Amino acid sequence: MTENDPSAQDPAAPRHPETGQQAAQGGWAGSPYGDQAAATPESGGTPQYSAPEPSYHAVTGADPSYGAPNPNPWSAQATPSGQTQQSVYPPPNPYSQPGTSAYGVPPAPPTQPKRSGGKLLAGVALVALLVGGIAGGAVGYLTGGTSNGPASNALDAPKPAQQTGNAPAGSVESVAQKLSPSVVELQVSGQQGAGEGSGFVISTDGYILTNNHVVEVAANGGQIQAVFQDGKKAPAKVIGRDPTTDIAVVKVDGVNNLTPVEIGRSDDLKVGQSVVAIGSPFELAGTVTSGIVSSLHRPVRAGGGQGGQETVMDAVQTDAAINPGNSGGPLSNMSGQVIGINSAIYSPQSASGGQGQGGSESGNVGIGFAIPIDQARRTADTIIKTGQAVQTYIGAQVTDAPQGGAKLGAITAGSPAEKAGLKSGDIVTKIDDRNIDTSDTLVAAIRTRAPDEKATFTLSDGRTVEVTLGGQPVPAN
């Protein structure tokens, strides 16, 4: 036996206090996107990546498919190579004397046969559990035997006074009490399938704000049913929708005196601010979760992994648990004011529609995205008044610049970009005070602005150009 022999044992190595065995030695855009009018699949310029990017997928509950559960929920998952596996069994008690037990458990008979390492560890775990049980019994016996008074039982104590006070202001409980009556579950069906999502009431006469991808399947002859907190149901119809911002407005029939939400502001949100999400994840209506704003101005493509740059939104990122079925539900501040519409979750399993292995739909990993309410409010107001959404645009194709920024491609004649003097090949690095590092960031920054708003574009050569943003109707599908 040599020092390189893996079976060699070090005489100085510690041994197990019962078996005498020694411990083993052991070692982790540049897609060519523009705005709706200019971008076409044929425009080219899409860079190819060697590895799939993480996908963002919509969190509807459409036909969820769940993977088989792990038969051993306590087992290690995908342990990286090169790391030492830690034993799940407790070490021997360092305070007990060899061959004795604080709880009167006799030592193992000397004739007990040796077991293999795996069986020994299982035996140790069993002994640990048994010792705990015996210890509890011994302590209980000693306590009962030395008590001078009658035994007391918590079951005999009177119930505490019923809590009748209001929830503390600024608590998750108070937000849930305020918002829950205004949140609805939307059950949707159409020729292409069925699913469910969430929405929230914005008027007493039945207007409900939600995501486009929640109601899209019912847009042409499908059915929508709204289920309210008290269990009442009412049919609904699509008033208008905007796939480019993933916003839709539906209206219920035959229901009046509804409780609308209070709409807040998203332009003054701060990272770290507490938020609450309410919706119907996995058809569990009225589910309330809480977290914080974990990032702002996150460019995310709405509508799932198939969404192109025409669907980029300037998202509010949150770690509040959001799952399939939360789509269209409100994200609220701690005053109960809606500051976003829950729309998508980060899905690292695959880059194809957010579906994990085996076809199971991905769930919350602590990174969710909501449409800022300032943008959603403007779009919803236009839909209600005209039946059609209006998209903010500049009229130029755009791709990622290799050195950072957004490179402009073909410029549409007569567009805001042409009128401002922008040229194909210009690289935008900033809009007003916001840095532009990718083409998606440029599109998201434009979408947050209103038509006819002025914005200063800073180019890579140091020039600045003032652009009056345009607006164009979104075609109804």
Side-chain angles (χ1 to χ4, degrees):
M1 177 158 46
T2 67
E3 62 181 1
N4 294 324
D5 186 351
S7 64
Q9 297 186 352
D10 183 359
R15 297 178 178 272
H16 191 284
E18 296 183 16
T19 66
Q21 293 184 352
Q22 290 183 333
Q25 300 289 330
W28 177 114
S31 301
Y33 306 112
D35 31 41
Q36 183 80 1
T40 61
E42 297 81 24
S43 58
T46 302
Q48 301 295 321
Y49 300 93
S50 59
E53 298 180 351
S55 65
Y56 306 100
H57 80 280
V59 288
T60 62
D63 296 331
S65 175
Y66 305 96
N70 186 348
N72 181 6
W74 301 106
S75 62
Q77 298 294 321
T79 303
S81 60
Q83 289 190 349
T84 304
Q85 292 286 345
Q86 302 277 338
S87 172
V88 299
Y89 303 110
N93 184 356
Y95 301 107
S96 63
Q97 296 297 322
T100 66
S101 169
Y103 306 117
V105 178
T111 59
Q112 183 177 359
K114 293 185 178 180
R115 295 177 174 85
S116 63
K119 293 182 179 179
L120 173 63
L121 291 176
V124 171
L126 179 60
V127 169
L129 293 174
L130 291 176
V131 167
I134 296 172
V139 172
Y141 174 80
L142 292 175
T143 302
T146 58
S147 175
N148 294 324
S152 61
N153 191 323
L155 300 177
D156 297 330
K159 293 181 179 180
Q162 186 175 6
Q163 297 182 10
T164 58
N166 294 327
S171 65
V172 175
E173 182 183 358
S174 67
V175 173
Q177 289 179 356
K178 179 178 180 178
L179 270 183
S180 293
S182 304
V183 181
V184 300
E185 178 184 4
L186 296 176
Q187 299 172 348
V188 183
S189 62
Q191 294 181 351
Q192 296 180 347
E196 60 89 31
S198 304
F200 52 92
V201 177
I202 57 175
S203 72
T204 56
D205 57 347
Y207 284 105
I208 294 172
L209 189 55
T210 185
N211 283 141
N212 170 69
H213 71 258
V214 170
V215 300
E216 188 173 20
V217 69
N220 298 309
Q223 294 182 338
I224 303 175
Q225 182 170 248
V227 183
F228 295 88
Q229 181 195 32
D230 59 5
K232 292 181 180 178
K233 300 180 180 180
K237 62 181 179 180
V238 176
I239 300 301
R241 58 194 184 90
D242 180 8
T244 65
T245 58
D246 198 23
I247 293 170
V249 176
V250 302
K251 190 174 187 297
V252 294
D253 295 325
V255 179
N256 294 308
N257 299 320
L258 297 177
T259 304
V261 300
E262 181 182 356
I263 296 179
R265 299 168 57 113
S266 55
D267 62 354
D268 58 358
L269 289 174
K270 300 293 188 294
V271 174
Q273 180 175 338
S274 296
V275 289
V276 174
I278 305 180
S280 304
F282 301 110
E283 301 185 33
L284 301 174
T287 297
V288 178
T289 57
S290 65
I292 62 168
V293 173
S294 53
S295 186
L296 292 168
H297 305 298
R298 184 74 73 191
V300 174
R301 300 186 185 189
Q306 289 77 25
Q309 195 163 18
E310 69 276 3
T311 67
V312 171
M313 62 179 176
D314 195 44
V316 177
Q317 181 178 308
T318 179
D319 69 348
I322 298 174
N323 286 288
N326 270 116
S327 274
L331 186 69
S332 165
N333 61 23
M334 300 312 292
S335 296
Q337 300 169 329
V338 177
I339 50 86
I341 305 176
N342 299 318
S343 181
I345 56 177
Y346 179 73
S347 179
Q349 289 90 334
S350 69
S352 58
Q355 297 296 318
Q357 294 181 355
S360 59
E361 193 168 36
S362 302
N364 173 62
V365 295
I367 304 178
F369 303 100
I371 302 168
I373 198 61
D374 292 347
Q375 179 181 353
R377 181 176 193 163
R378 184 176 65 248
T379 301
D381 186 58
T382 304
I383 288 175
I384 292 173
K385 290 178 178 178
T386 68
Q388 193 173 29
V390 174
Q391 177 194 66
T392 307
Y393 81 112
I394 62 170
Q397 293 183 350
V398 59
T399 58
D400 291 342
Q403 65 271 40
K407 183 177 181 180
L408 301 183
I411 307 293
T412 303
S415 66
E418 185 187 56
K419 292 177 181 178
L422 293 172
K423 306 292 184 183
S424 177
D426 285 343
I427 298 175
V428 181
T429 58
K430 185 180 290 188
I431 294 183
D432 292 334
D433 294 330
R434 178 173 178 175
N435 291 325
I436 303 299
D437 54 353
T438 66
S439 56
D440 277 11
T441 306
L442 175 61
V443 174
I446 292 172
R447 293 277 166 77
T448 61
R449 314 297 181 94
D452 299 326
E453 187 176 333
K454 297 183 184 299
T456 300
F457 285 42
T458 301
L459 307 181
S460 59
D461 58 7
R463 291 184 294 131
T464 59
V465 178
E466 186 178 75
V467 181
T468 301
L469 304 176
Q472 61 185 4
V474 176
N477 296 326

